[in-house]
Amino acid sequence: MSNFTRRQLLVAAAPAVAATPLLKLAVDQKSAPAATHHLAGAHADMTGAMTPAPGGPHDLDALLYPPAALAHQPGRVREYEIAAVDREIEVAAGVFFAAWTYNGTVPGPVLRATEDDVLRVKFANGGSHPHTIHFHGIHPANMDGVFEVVEPGGSYTYEFPARPYGMHLYHCHSTPLKKHIAKGLYGALIIDPPAARRPALELVMVLSGFDTDGDGANNFYGVNGPAFYYAKYPIRVRRSQTVRIYLANLTEFDLINSFHLHGDFFRYYPTGSGESFEYTDTVMLCQGQRGIVEIDFSNTGRFMFHAHQSEFTELGWMGFFEVTD
Ligand code: CU
Ligand code: CU
């Protein structure tokens, strides 16, 4: 059941959600109701078990919680193995997408190194198309993942000193680039500064969309993959602990995406590469833009986070923090 249009989904969701002007507009269009059953159980608040998100409560833990930072030790090798794999994934309840993945998930695995580590990534192309891995950061030309295209069945090892510190990303750079990114070949790359960041609960959020009907527009949006996932499974945090989010936007087709937090403000460090920050509750990101969000929650309770493009929110890019003492 991947033959969804954006409008069909909005129509399906409309009876369950208070009618915003956008949803009312969609209802007025009277589009085909074929998809209605997928969201028939949607609760008005889109919270908890009634939320139309696939998966179990810990399915995305490996994408949400990054590997621990290691102390600065120049020359240490951080080695990762990544395989490109064609795989059908469930991007919303009952909606499947024929993805191209790194290691079977969209986004791919979180890579982490400390500045001056040697980052070594052994890449094997087990997919059906030529792929590469292009990293953001500073590295030699032959490690850039543009010209050394890896054919199906082939492999390539990327190796370079990890720098500069910050929140980065990686993605396939084969052509057509738009297709290789839209299909799901991307992930987060964290490079830690030589002086450790202060303690925090660390999370990774990679923003993206899924064009499930192949019309060149996204039908669903999510954080670390599936639509509505963190609405179904709110992220539990403590008020006493800083929440640090490594945030990146890999959304294809739409020119911008955004992150908006309810009920509080956060420090936003663009690219995570310096000390200067903006104190805000909303940041806008184009594709490839990323940064570090640091939240010190003022209050306990349930707080929403979502794209401040309302349509993205209604198509899956929303979630909750559950803040306790
Ligand atoms: Cu590719
Ligand atoms: Cu890029």
Side-chain angles (χ1 to χ4, degrees):
M1 273 309 296
S2 61
N3 199 16
F4 250 81
T5 67
R6 293 153 83 101
R7 200 161 294 291
Q8 279 171 333
L9 182 98
L10 289 171
V11 169
V17 185
T20 64
L22 179 64
L23 291 170
K24 265 167 107 172
L25 180 72
V27 170
D28 292 340
Q29 302 290 325
K30 288 275 190 281
S31 299
T36 304
H37 69 279
H38 287 300
L39 291 178
H43 184 270
D45 296 330
M46 290 291 208
T47 58
M50 300 304 283
T51 307
H58 299 291
D59 287 8
L60 301 190
D61 282 5
L63 297 175
L64 180 64
Y65 301 107
L70 298 185
H72 189 229
Q73 190 183 307
R76 174 182 50 208
V77 176
R78 301 293 295 276
E79 187 170 303
Y80 293 92
E81 293 187 2
I82 294 186
V85 186
D86 296 358
R87 189 175 172 218
E88 188 170 74
I89 58 171
E90 192 173 6
V91 296
V95 182
F96 291 85
F97 176 67
W100 298 346
T101 75
Y102 289 130
N103 287 3
T105 61
V106 178
V110 178
L111 307 185
R112 189 166 200 172
T114 305
E115 192 172 79
D116 304 318
D117 279 345
V118 173
L119 183 64
R120 180 184 295 156
V121 178
K122 293 180 165 178
F123 174 55
N125 186 358
S128 55
H129 292 73
H131 298 304
T132 69
I133 306 179
H134 162 71
F135 301 90
H136 284 224
I138 301 171
H139 47 248
N142 67 341
M143 293 294 147
D144 197 42
V146 173
F147 305 112
E148 291 75 20
V149 172
V150 183
E151 298 294 332
S155 61
Y156 193 86
T157 298
Y158 301 92
E159 185 170 321
F160 48 87
R163 68 192 179 103
Y165 76 80
M167 170 55 177
H168 304 309
L169 57 140
Y170 63 92
H171 58 84
C172 183
H173 221 295
S174 295
T175 55
L177 180 58
K178 181 165 75 171
K179 180 159 191 180
H180 286 247
I181 291 181
K183 280 290 210 173
L185 290 165
Y186 46 78
L189 167 62
I190 301 167
I191 298 181
D192 291 295
R197 297 185 188 277
R198 64 190 185 87
L201 173 67
E202 296 200 319
L203 308 173
V204 176
M205 293 191 183
V206 173
L207 313 181
S208 66
F210 298 99
D211 171 16
T212 53
D213 58 9
D215 67 352
N218 289 313
N219 303 73
F220 295 93
Y221 297 87
V223 177
N224 298 337
F228 299 113
Y229 186 84
Y230 297 113
K232 186 174 184 179
Y233 304 111
I235 300 170
R236 306 183 76 84
V237 303
R238 292 203 168 276
R239 177 160 61 167
S240 58
Q241 190 175 33
T242 297
V243 177
R244 176 179 297 129
I245 304 168
Y246 295 91
L247 177 71
N249 176 28
L250 271 303
T251 309
E252 192 53 79
F253 306 120
D254 298 285
L255 295 182
I256 57 167
N257 203 331
S258 57
F259 175 95
H260 168 55
L261 175 68
H262 283 215
D264 225 310
F265 262 49
F266 54 80
R267 297 178 295 281
Y268 182 69
Y269 300 84
T271 317
S273 56
E275 299 304 311
S276 63
F277 61 86
E278 180 186 4
Y279 192 52
T280 181
D281 64 10
T282 307
V283 293
M284 179 178 77
L285 306 102
C286 71
Q287 188 191 73
Q289 230 173 346
R290 71 281 186 189
I292 295 176
V293 169
E294 285 187 353
I295 312 169
D296 296 309
F297 279 100
S298 306
N299 295 291
T300 58
R302 180 169 284 192
F303 293 101
M304 191 176 188
F305 61 96
H306 64 95
H308 218 303
Q309 285 91 338
S310 311
E311 186 182 18
F312 295 8
T313 307
E314 286 154 3
L315 293 174
W317 180 169
M318 57 173 289
F320 298 98
F321 289 109
E322 192 71 54
V323 187
T324 56
D325 272 330

